Amino acid sequence: MNAVTIKDVATRAGVSPATASRVLSGNPSTSAESRELVERAVRELDFRPNAQARALRSTRSDTVGLLVSDVRNPFFADLAHTIEQALLELGYVTLLGNANENQQQQDRYLDTLISRRVDGVIVAPQGTDSASIEALLAREVPTVFVDRTVPGLDVPSVTTDSGPGIRAAVRHLAELGHTRVGYIAGPQSVSTGRERLESWTAAIAEQGLSDDPALVHVGDFQSASGSAAVHAFLSLDQPPTAILAADSLMAVGAIAMLHRLDLRIGRDVAVVAFDDIEWFSLIDPALTVISHSVEDMGATAVALLQEVISGGRPESVTLVSELVIRASSSSPVPTPPRSLGRN
């Protein structure tokens, strides 16, 4: 009697050999109906797959792709470390990519990860329209979004609700007496940039602070745009007495420019940053921040991906943000900091 083959199983189940193979290898992309048909055919035919051949054909690579927005950003560096360590404990090797806040660079990495047949992908997406992200989903590569999302795409994600932290920061500055606060916004092409600007706009309206459009500078989540924002703010006839930066790298650029202009943080200008990177608490003065847990975000992203790889459809998770008050935020000085045009 000839040995039963996978083609025999596929014929009995009424599916293609490829589908039968995916079911037998545990691939989560197969439908419940296909799995039931193949499993019944296996029982009826008493099919016993050859273990060695099954291992050679396995689609599992024990690798996961991780694509962060910018490896120079301390928040994403910490996030990548958290995710990599959690994946390693589960037996996965992490292939790390750096999008550099650029959609074309993101897509190049994603195309490579697809070709390498990774078991899953965790990505902080760039922009709102990516053919490579669409290709990931079309190929049913288990995918999780981290920190950011893409409108219209039903992908499990772990993000932060920026609203509570931003409202608390604006309320804190208002209570100190600030009425003109400069906001360094992130790019509006990504979800965090849009959501934080929306939260900022609502918060200053609630507190009755100036809504002068010149007090909002749209940056790109990189340090140079933080420096450019400070330069623009201090060129105004009425410069802001406080500045809030929507991410850590733009805050770093803002701090560098303030130092270059010999303005004292916490005395001449109050400064608040989104993201609590380790050294923000160590500089003098220590920086007031809007904090959210990078450890929780990384651990949750890995847990969600595990569930997707296993064939589940987990709900997205939203973490909370909170204000951590330190010495960099203080009451405004009697006269506002000088503009660049007045020495």
Side-chain angles (χ1 to χ4, degrees), residues 146-218:
V146 64
D147 187 59
R148 304 174 179 181
T149 59
V150 176
L153 294 186
D154 183 20
V155 174
S157 64
V158 52
T159 56
T160 297
D161 182 359
S162 305
I166 289 177
R167 287 195 300 273
V170 172
R171 183 169 58 250
H172 169 62
L173 293 172
E175 290 171 349
L176 289 172
H178 296 278
T179 58
R180 289 178 62 81
V181 181
Y183 180 66
I184 309 176
Q188 299 305 287
S189 60
V190 299
S191 60
T192 46
R194 294 190 301 273
E195 291 162 6
R196 290 174 191 175
L197 180 56
E198 290 170 3
S199 296
W200 163 261
T201 303
I204 62 168
E206 289 173 6
Q207 297 299 324
L209 303 189
S210 173
D211 61 357
D212 182 352
L215 292 175
V216 175
H217 182 96
V218 178

Side-chain angles (χ1 to χ4, degrees), residues 40-335:
R40 183 187 305 155
V42 166
R43 291 192 299 271
E44 292 174 352
L45 296 174
D46 193 26
F47 175 63
R48 305 292 177 87
N50 179 279
Q52 184 177 12
R54 182 175 56 194
L56 290 172
R57 291 193 302 270
S58 172
T59 61
R60 183 180 171 92
S61 66
D62 293 327
T63 59
V64 167
L66 170 60
L67 186 63
V68 297
S69 299
D70 190 343
V71 293
R72 297 170 300 176
N73 187 322
F75 170 79
F76 283 110
D78 289 346
L79 181 64
H81 179 263
T82 299
I83 290 173
E84 181 269 335
Q85 289 293 295
L87 287 170
L88 193 61
E89 288 185 7
L90 296 173
Y92 291 101
V93 170
T94 302
L95 302 181
L96 176 63
N98 170 41
N100 205 38
E101 298 290 358
N102 180 287
Q103 185 170 313
Q104 289 183 331
Q105 188 160 316
Q106 164 195 266
D107 290 354
R108 183 176 178 181
Y109 269 109
L110 290 179
D111 290 344
T112 299
L113 292 174
I114 290 171
S115 70
R116 290 184 178 273
R117 300 183 182 275
V118 293
D119 293 333
V121 172
I122 297 174
V123 56
Q126 312 295 309
T128 58
D129 183 22
S130 166
S132 294
I133 289 179
E134 295 282 1
L136 270 181
L137 304 181
R139 289 169 170 76
E140 298 182 319
V141 178
T143 302
V144 166
F145 288 157
V146 64
D147 187 59
R148 304 174 179 181
T149 59
V150 176
L153 294 186
D154 183 20
V155 174
S157 64
V158 52
T159 56
T160 297
D161 182 359
S162 305
I166 289 177
R167 287 195 300 273
V170 172
R171 183 169 58 250
H172 169 62
L173 293 172
E175 290 171 349
L176 289 172
H178 296 278
T179 58
R180 289 178 62 81
V181 181
Y183 180 66
I184 309 176
Q188 299 305 287
S189 60
V190 299
S191 60
T192 46
R194 294 190 301 273
E195 291 162 6
R196 290 174 191 175
L197 180 56
E198 290 170 3
S199 296
W200 163 261
T201 303
I204 62 168
E206 289 173 6
Q207 297 299 324
L209 303 189
S210 173
D211 61 357
D212 182 352
L215 292 175
V216 175
H217 182 96
V218 178
D220 60 4
F221 284 151
Q222 299 194 20
S223 61
S225 63
S227 296
V230 170
H231 192 280
F233 291 153
L234 297 183
S235 297
L236 300 174
D237 288 337
Q238 289 184 283
T241 57
I243 293 171
L244 194 157
D247 93 318
S248 57
L249 269 187
M250 294 193 301
V252 168
I255 291 168
M257 179 58 74
L258 290 170
H259 281 307
R260 193 176 306 160
L261 298 173
D262 294 325
L263 292 172
R264 297 164 298 177
I265 295 169
R267 298 188 65 180
D268 296 324
V269 183
V271 176
V272 178
F274 204 104
D275 294 336
D276 188 13
I277 63 178
E278 183 178 3
W279 62 269
F280 277 174
S281 65
L282 304 176
I283 61 175
D284 185 19
L287 209 64
T288 294
V289 296
I290 298 167
S291 176
H292 56 130
S293 174
V294 66
E295 293 83 7
D296 288 348
M297 179 170 283
T300 302
V302 171
L304 292 177
L305 185 64
Q306 259 194 298
E307 193 169 344
V308 177
I309 289 173
S310 299
R313 291 293 303 168
E315 294 292 325
S316 293
V317 176
T318 303
L319 306 176
V320 297
S321 59
E322 60 181 0
L323 181 67
V324 179
I325 298 173
R326 300 186 183 124
S328 71
S329 56
S330 59
S331 298
V333 293
T335 56

